[in-house]
Short mmCIF file of all heavy atoms in Angstrom, two decimals:
data_model
loop_
_atom_site.label_atom_id
_atom_site.label_comp_id
_atom_site.label_asym_id
_atom_site.label_seq_id
_atom_site.Cartn_x
_atom_site.Cartn_y
_atom_site.Cartn_z
N ALA A 73 -2.01 30.87 36.24
CA ALA A 73 -0.94 30.15 35.55
C ALA A 73 0.17 31.11 35.14
O ALA A 73 1.36 30.78 35.25
CB ALA A 73 -1.50 29.44 34.33
N VAL A 74 -0.20 32.30 34.67
CA VAL A 74 0.80 33.30 34.28
C VAL A 74 1.57 33.79 35.50
O VAL A 74 2.80 33.97 35.45
CB VAL A 74 0.13 34.46 33.53
CG1 VAL A 74 1.11 35.61 33.33
CG2 VAL A 74 -0.41 34.00 32.19
N LEU A 75 0.89 34.01 36.60
CA LEU A 75 1.57 34.42 37.82
C LEU A 75 2.61 33.38 38.25
O LEU A 75 3.74 33.73 38.62
CB LEU A 75 0.57 34.66 38.95
CG LEU A 75 -0.26 35.94 38.88
CD1 LEU A 75 -1.30 35.94 40.01
CD2 LEU A 75 0.63 37.18 38.99
N VAL A 76 2.24 32.12 38.19
CA VAL A 76 3.18 31.06 38.58
C VAL A 76 4.35 31.01 37.61
O VAL A 76 5.51 30.88 38.03
CB VAL A 76 2.45 29.70 38.64
CG1 VAL A 76 3.45 28.56 38.79
CG2 VAL A 76 1.46 29.68 39.80
N ALA A 77 4.09 31.12 36.31
CA ALA A 77 5.17 31.11 35.32
C ALA A 77 6.10 32.29 35.51
O ALA A 77 7.31 32.18 35.28
CB ALA A 77 4.58 31.12 33.91
N SER A 78 5.56 33.42 35.93
CA SER A 78 6.37 34.60 36.18
C SER A 78 7.22 34.44 37.43
O SER A 78 8.40 34.83 37.45
CB SER A 78 5.46 35.83 36.32
OG SER A 78 6.19 36.99 36.62
N ARG A 79 6.65 33.86 38.47
CA ARG A 79 7.33 33.69 39.75
C ARG A 79 8.31 32.52 39.74
O ARG A 79 9.39 32.60 40.33
CB ARG A 79 6.29 33.45 40.86
CG ARG A 79 5.46 34.64 41.23
CD ARG A 79 4.20 34.22 41.98
NE ARG A 79 4.45 33.23 43.02
CZ ARG A 79 4.66 33.53 44.30
NH1 ARG A 79 4.64 34.80 44.69
NH2 ARG A 79 4.85 32.57 45.18
N ARG A 80 7.91 31.42 39.09
CA ARG A 80 8.68 30.18 39.14
C ARG A 80 8.93 29.64 37.73
O ARG A 80 8.39 28.60 37.35
CB ARG A 80 7.94 29.14 39.99
CG ARG A 80 7.69 29.55 41.43
CD ARG A 80 8.99 29.58 42.24
NE ARG A 80 9.66 28.31 42.22
CZ ARG A 80 9.38 27.29 43.05
NH1 ARG A 80 8.42 27.43 43.96
NH2 ARG A 80 10.06 26.16 42.98
N PRO A 81 9.73 30.33 36.92
CA PRO A 81 9.94 29.90 35.53
C PRO A 81 10.56 28.51 35.41
O PRO A 81 10.41 27.85 34.38
CB PRO A 81 10.86 30.98 34.95
CG PRO A 81 11.50 31.61 36.15
CD PRO A 81 10.48 31.56 37.23
N GLU A 82 11.23 28.06 36.46
CA GLU A 82 11.85 26.73 36.41
C GLU A 82 10.82 25.61 36.45
O GLU A 82 11.13 24.45 36.17
CB GLU A 82 12.84 26.56 37.57
CG GLU A 82 12.24 26.32 38.94
CD GLU A 82 11.76 27.58 39.65
OE1 GLU A 82 11.78 28.67 39.01
OE2 GLU A 82 11.38 27.50 40.83
N LEU A 83 9.55 25.96 36.78
CA LEU A 83 8.50 24.96 36.86
C LEU A 83 7.64 24.87 35.60
O LEU A 83 6.92 23.88 35.42
CB LEU A 83 7.57 25.27 38.05
CG LEU A 83 8.16 25.18 39.45
CD1 LEU A 83 7.12 25.60 40.48
CD2 LEU A 83 8.65 23.77 39.74
N VAL A 84 7.71 25.87 34.73
CA VAL A 84 6.76 25.98 33.62
C VAL A 84 7.48 26.02 32.28
O VAL A 84 8.34 26.87 32.05
CB VAL A 84 5.87 27.23 33.78
CG1 VAL A 84 4.83 27.28 32.66
CG2 VAL A 84 5.19 27.23 35.13
N GLU A 85 7.11 25.10 31.40
CA GLU A 85 7.71 25.04 30.06
C GLU A 85 6.95 25.90 29.06
O GLU A 85 7.53 26.56 28.20
CB GLU A 85 7.76 23.60 29.56
CG GLU A 85 8.39 23.46 28.19
CD GLU A 85 8.50 22.01 27.75
OE1 GLU A 85 8.05 21.12 28.49
OE2 GLU A 85 9.05 21.77 26.66
N ARG A 86 5.60 25.89 29.13
CA ARG A 86 4.78 26.62 28.18
C ARG A 86 3.38 26.81 28.75
O ARG A 86 2.99 26.14 29.70
CB ARG A 86 4.72 25.89 26.84
CG ARG A 86 4.29 24.43 26.95
CD ARG A 86 4.60 23.68 25.68
NE ARG A 86 4.50 22.25 25.91
CZ ARG A 86 4.86 21.31 25.04
NH1 ARG A 86 5.35 21.67 23.88
NH2 ARG A 86 4.74 20.03 25.33
N LEU A 87 2.64 27.72 28.11
CA LEU A 87 1.31 28.08 28.59
C LEU A 87 0.29 28.05 27.46
O LEU A 87 0.60 28.45 26.33
CB LEU A 87 1.32 29.50 29.18
CG LEU A 87 2.14 29.76 30.44
CD1 LEU A 87 2.29 31.26 30.67
CD2 LEU A 87 1.50 29.09 31.65
N LEU A 88 -0.91 27.60 27.77
CA LEU A 88 -2.06 27.76 26.90
C LEU A 88 -3.13 28.48 27.73
O LEU A 88 -3.62 27.94 28.72
CB LEU A 88 -2.58 26.41 26.41
CG LEU A 88 -3.89 26.42 25.61
CD1 LEU A 88 -3.81 27.35 24.41
CD2 LEU A 88 -4.26 25.00 25.16
N LEU A 89 -3.48 29.70 27.33
CA LEU A 89 -4.38 30.55 28.10
C LEU A 89 -5.70 30.68 27.35
O LEU A 89 -5.74 31.16 26.22
CB LEU A 89 -3.75 31.93 28.31
CG LEU A 89 -2.32 31.94 28.86
CD1 LEU A 89 -1.82 33.37 28.97
CD2 LEU A 89 -2.24 31.23 30.20
#
Side-chain angles (χ1 to χ4, degrees):
V74 170
L75 285 174
V76 170
S78 177
R79 289 162 45 94
R80 300 290 303 275
E82 76 279 7
L83 294 177
V84 183
E85 181 177 2
R86 53 195 166 188
L87 294 167
L88 173 56
L89 310 178

